[in-house]
Amino acid sequence: MSFFSLTPKTLLLSSTSTSSSSSSSSSSLSSASSLFHFPDKTSPFLKSSLNPTPNKRPFISPSIKAALSTSQLPDLQSSKSDLAAQLRVEILSESLPFIQKFRGKTIVVKYGGAAMKSPDLQASVINDLVLLSCVGLRPVFVHGGGPEINHWLGRFGLQPNFLNGLRVTDHSTMEIVTMVLVGKVNKHLVSLINKAGGTAVGLSGMDGRLLTARPNPNSAQLGFVGDVARVDPAILRPLIDNNHIPVIASVASDETGQSYNINADTVAGELAAALGAEKLILLTDVAGILVNREDPASLVKEIDIKGVKKMKEDGKIAGGMIPKVNCCVRSLAQGVKTASIIDGRLPHSLLLEILTDEGAGTMITG
């Protein structure tokens, strides 16, 4: 018999079995794959579930939202019978439309900001990513590593410099950026995902000509800061098809072999378009797109490209949000179904965005 239990960190599936066959399940799913287990697709239970409307968040009742958005345990100790059983059934049934909608679909997640600085938030993101992989989604994980780069620049006696939000990258800085992103941050994330029960493979844009870079138009002032000239996702497809999680550092080389530091949001957007992803998700340090930048309660939950352009014209989208929104709009124009800018400061923000109708930020549609 299998049943759901709620913990402060995630939704776990505890299992007990009276047969020896359950103990012989694949070791590759020993950790995170036990997070969910669903009946066979031919079962009446699955046949009776609702099919979600494309590009719309399926309706979900408050129980799963409460389970994901709070670290407080429901008091099930005093009533382990009817209340506990009903809650578990509700969580399972409410998850089905989302699992059905995204199962087998590629999602590209850009990881950065507060979720990268806080160990607790980092663990939350990693666990969410592995859970989504185990229930059939095909995640691709793109990362930067600004704080870590600044730390190592300081250790080498170099001062970080920025121009219009972009890191000024001379030859010495580029060497450190490559060392930190490819050699340290990337392998650390791979290790965390593998420890959580996933199977991650670390890459950079240089590997397999995944990304070809070109100099930024302001290269005279910015140095080795690049843009994405071309994407060849051939190296990613067999990894994704075999349920591996690609973890991609946002550095790439041009045709001559010169390395460039590329904005991770840009890399994620271009990869999502090249892979025909169902969804692009940018983890940020803000709640999402706000009507009033000083008021978090003015969050825009869902908006289309026309609405985004109108908000930009009205000056309601400005500053550091502009390149993120532009990245989302560009990916949507190239075939990505939806793009979301979500609050990476929220625990389990990935699950809130994908497995609830409320989401964790702003979803942009074409």
Side-chain angles (χ1 to χ4, degrees), residues 30 36-37 45 83 87 99 121-122 146 171 174 185 199-200 203 224 234 259 268 281-282 288 313 324 332 347 357 362:
S30 61
F36 277 106
H37 180 76
F45 184 69
L83 178 60
L87 182 58
I99 301 301
L121 289 176
Q122 185 176 74
H171 181 74
M174 189 65 231
V185 175
T199 303
L203 300 167
F224 298 110
S259 298
I281 299 176
L282 306 181
E313 291 170 0
K324 295 184 184 299
L332 292 169
D357 60 320
T362 300

Side-chain angles (χ1 to χ4, degrees), residues 17-77:
S17 176
T18 57
S19 67
S20 59
S21 61
S22 64
S23 62
S24 61
S25 59
S26 171
S27 61
S28 65
L29 300 178
S30 61
S31 171
S33 65
S34 63
L35 294 166
F36 277 106
H37 180 76
F38 295 101
D40 184 82
K41 289 182 180 179
T42 60
S43 71
F45 184 69
L46 274 180
K47 284 182 177 179
S48 64
S49 60
L50 295 174
N51 289 321
T53 303
N55 295 334
K56 296 293 182 182
R57 301 185 190 275
F59 174 77
I60 188 167
S61 66
S63 59
I64 189 171
K65 287 184 277 188
L68 290 171
S69 63
T70 179
S71 61
Q72 299 299 318
L73 278 170
D75 184 14
L76 301 181
Q77 299 301 319

